[in-house]
């Protein structure tokens, strides 16, 4: 018995000393001190031994177990320390190995251009205003000089959100004009970029959800020349060069006079697909704020005047990146989005 104990001790300690990793130590633990291991076997054999030997063997087996457990712990600590040391010294690290690829997301082109537009207007002293996407009919239409039965509503059919048609998905960012007049004291300059919604046939240039940027400036003696100068300045920054603009009369109930502002086609001199061979591209609706609208916003039209404009953000992005279908923006197709 004495021999078997000694033999087990030698074998176990040798295996521990030569263990190269924690896995090997676990195997020693399993073979010697685990259930069914050598120590357990020795202990199990005690009842069959002559009574005089039993005490010594029991004691020896338990001491052996303690010794092996301690040796395993010590070796484990040494292995771990060596591993830390190796990492520290850089051994086994190959700096020429390619790293794990990091997949990066990117901003949606609409977000990028919106931020760029915001920066340009901020640099001209504008504030950024915001309003709800589910808007009161009163703000989306009535206070903008579009009464309940006004025919211009037909051009902006929307999604009515309640039984009495008091709440609508806003069809334009223009209601933010009213909300701004109600909260700011003139003089002020704001732009309000945002999502708008219309219930209409969809095609390459029409989508139920799209984006506009509204502009509103109110103060003393604000005139149409300020509007033209502002938009020209914006366009120069955005396109990186001067572009001629022209005003055509345009009807929008909330401005008087109202204009359609076109820009010279940024892509050609004598006609191309983008400008439909006219050399002009429609850019925005604009005009002098109608007195009724100033009044609806709580501003005295005998003291203040203002100009307003509204353009499509999607359009601007499409012009920048030569995108031919507005439906790409909300389509969620990664092959489109990953290009930006
Ligand atoms: N809200 C108009 C639309 O969606 C665009 C517009 C026209 C905005 C003239 C304006 C404006 O502020 O003055 O068609």
């Amino acid at each position: 018995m004495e021999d078997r104990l000694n033999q087990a001790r030698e074998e176990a300690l040798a295996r521990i000393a030569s263990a190269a990793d924690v896995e090997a130590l676990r195997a020693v633990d399993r073979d010697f001190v685990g259930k069914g291991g050598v120590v357990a076997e020795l202990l199990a054999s005690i009842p069959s031994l002559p009574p005089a030997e039993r005490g010594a063997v029991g004691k020896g087996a338990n001491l052996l177990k303690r010794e092996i457990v301690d040796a395993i712990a010590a070796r484990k600590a040494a292995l771990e320390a060596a591993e830390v040391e190796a990492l520290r010294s850089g051994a086994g690290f190959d700096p020429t190995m390619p790293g794990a690829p990091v997949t990066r997301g990117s901003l949606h082109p609409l977000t990028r251009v919106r931020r760029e537009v915001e920066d340009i207007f901020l640099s001209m002293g504008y504030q950024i205003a915001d309003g709800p996407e589910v808007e009161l009919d009163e703000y989306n239409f009535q206070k903008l000089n579009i009464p309940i039965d006004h025919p211009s509503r037909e051009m902006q059919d929307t999604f009515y959100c309640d039984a009495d048609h008091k709440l609508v998905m806003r069809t334009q960012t223009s209601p933010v004009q009213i909300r701004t007049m109600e909260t700011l004291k003139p003089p002020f300059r704001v732009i309000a970029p945002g999502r708008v919604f219309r219930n209409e046939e969809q095609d390459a240039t029409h989508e139920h959800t799209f984006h506009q940027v509204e502009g509103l400036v109110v103060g003393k003696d604000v005139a149409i020349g300020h509007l033209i100068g502002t938009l020209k300045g914006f366009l120069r920054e955005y396109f990186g060069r001067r572009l001629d603009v022209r005003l055509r009369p345009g009807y929008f109930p909330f401005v008087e006079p109202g204009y359609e502002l076109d820009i010279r086609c940024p892509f050609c001199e004598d006609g191309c697909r983008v400008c439909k061979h006219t050399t002009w591209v429609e850019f925005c609706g604009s005009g002098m704020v109608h007195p009724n609208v100033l009044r609806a916003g709580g501003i005295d039209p005998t003291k203040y005047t203002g100009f307003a404009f509204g353009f499509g953000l999607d359009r601007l992005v499409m012009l920048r990146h030569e995108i031919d279908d507005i439906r790409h923006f909300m389509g969620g197709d990664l092959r489109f989005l990953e290009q930006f």
Side-chain angles (χ1 to χ4, degrees):
M1 258 312 144
E2 190 81 356
D3 283 354
R4 279 199 58 198
L5 276 171
N6 283 333
Q7 197 193 331
R9 170 180 295 108
E10 260 170 47
E11 201 187 316
L13 294 181
R15 275 179 61 187
I16 291 167
S18 65
D21 52 30
V22 176
E23 193 40 54
L25 290 174
R26 236 177 257 137
V28 179
D29 184 87
R30 198 168 49 234
D31 295 346
F32 289 87
V33 298
K35 255 195 245 160
V38 174
V39 172
E41 253 170 44
L42 283 167
L43 290 170
S45 71
I46 289 176
S48 63
L49 293 176
E53 286 181 26
R54 291 180 189 168
V57 172
K59 202 168 168 196
N62 280 316
L63 280 175
L64 175 60
K65 180 173 179 177
R66 162 83 60 79
E67 204 177 331
I68 293 173
V69 168
D70 287 350
I72 287 176
R75 179 72 185 146
K76 188 170 172 223
L79 283 174
E80 283 167 355
E83 194 180 341
V84 169
E85 198 39 55
L87 284 175
R88 253 197 216 136
S89 71
F93 173 69
D94 178 358
T96 65
M97 278 234 305
V102 179
T103 42
R104 294 201 0 187
S106 60
L107 292 176
H108 194 286
L110 281 165
T111 305
R112 285 201 196 197
V113 170
R114 191 200 74 227
R115 290 186 182 175
E116 201 180 313
V117 168
E118 287 175 357
D119 282 347
I120 296 173
F121 279 101
L122 284 169
S123 79
M124 296 197 282
Y126 279 65
Q127 301 180 57
I128 314 280
D130 200 6
E133 292 178 346
V134 178
E135 184 52 285
L136 290 165
D137 179 290
E138 195 185 350
Y139 283 76
N140 193 79
F141 295 120
Q142 296 168 49
K143 291 188 176 213
L144 289 169
N145 211 23
I146 310 173
I148 299 274
D149 50 5
H150 196 282
S152 87
R153 283 194 181 211
E154 292 210 347
M155 283 154 40
Q156 298 192 5
D157 189 20
T158 183
F159 304 94
Y160 288 87
C161 303
D162 60 342
D164 353 313
H165 291 190
K166 288 213 163 97
L167 276 178
V168 300
M169 301 294 282
R170 67 176 179 189
T171 58
Q172 48 185 353
T173 44
S174 304
V176 185
Q177 288 192 29
I178 305 292
R179 294 188 173 273
T180 303
M181 291 186 220
E182 287 178 348
T183 46
L184 296 182
K185 270 197 156 12
F188 57 75
R189 292 171 250 196
V190 298
I191 56 160
R195 276 204 297 190
V196 299
F197 312 87
R198 286 190 201 173
N199 178 18
E200 58 188 9
E201 286 287 317
Q202 286 163 50
D203 60 27
T205 54
H206 296 89
E207 175 60 301
H208 52 69
T209 300
F210 56 105
H211 303 76
Q212 292 185 330
V213 178
E214 192 79 15
L216 175 68
V217 172
V218 176
K220 292 228 155 85
D221 302 322
V222 172
I224 202 73
H226 299 129
L227 164 69
I228 298 170
T230 300
L231 289 174
K232 272 184 154 173
F234 164 73
L235 292 163
R236 190 174 57 234
E237 284 300 312
Y238 184 76
F239 287 103
R241 65 196 161 93
R242 282 186 60 127
L243 288 176
D244 279 341
V245 304
R246 75 173 180 189
L247 293 186
R248 289 177 290 122
Y251 176 65
F252 303 97
F254 35 90
V255 282
E256 180 58 40
Y259 306 97
E260 301 266 6
L261 189 138
D262 301 335
I263 55 177
R264 257 308 172 201
C265 180
F267 301 110
C268 71
E269 284 187 352
D270 42 16
C272 69
R273 221 163 44 93
V274 175
C275 61
K276 299 193 191 99
H277 303 281
T278 63
T279 76
W280 293 101
V281 181
E282 280 180 26
F283 173 60
C284 75
S286 62
M288 299 305 295
V289 182
H290 196 290
N292 289 351
V293 175
L294 287 171
R295 230 174 270 121
I299 291 176
D300 183 349
T302 64
K303 288 200 186 124
Y304 294 102
T305 53
F307 69 75
F309 58 86
F311 59 84
L313 191 63
D314 311 76
R315 188 73 196 288
L316 217 51
V317 182
M318 289 168 84
L319 282 178
R320 158 90 39 104
H321 296 293
E322 294 179 50
I323 295 165
D324 57 7
D325 194 323
I326 192 173
R327 291 168 294 190
H328 284 311
F329 289 135
M330 297 281 128
D333 188 334
L334 287 177
R335 290 170 303 177
F336 169 76
L337 295 171
E338 278 168 359
Q339 295 175 59
F340 300 96

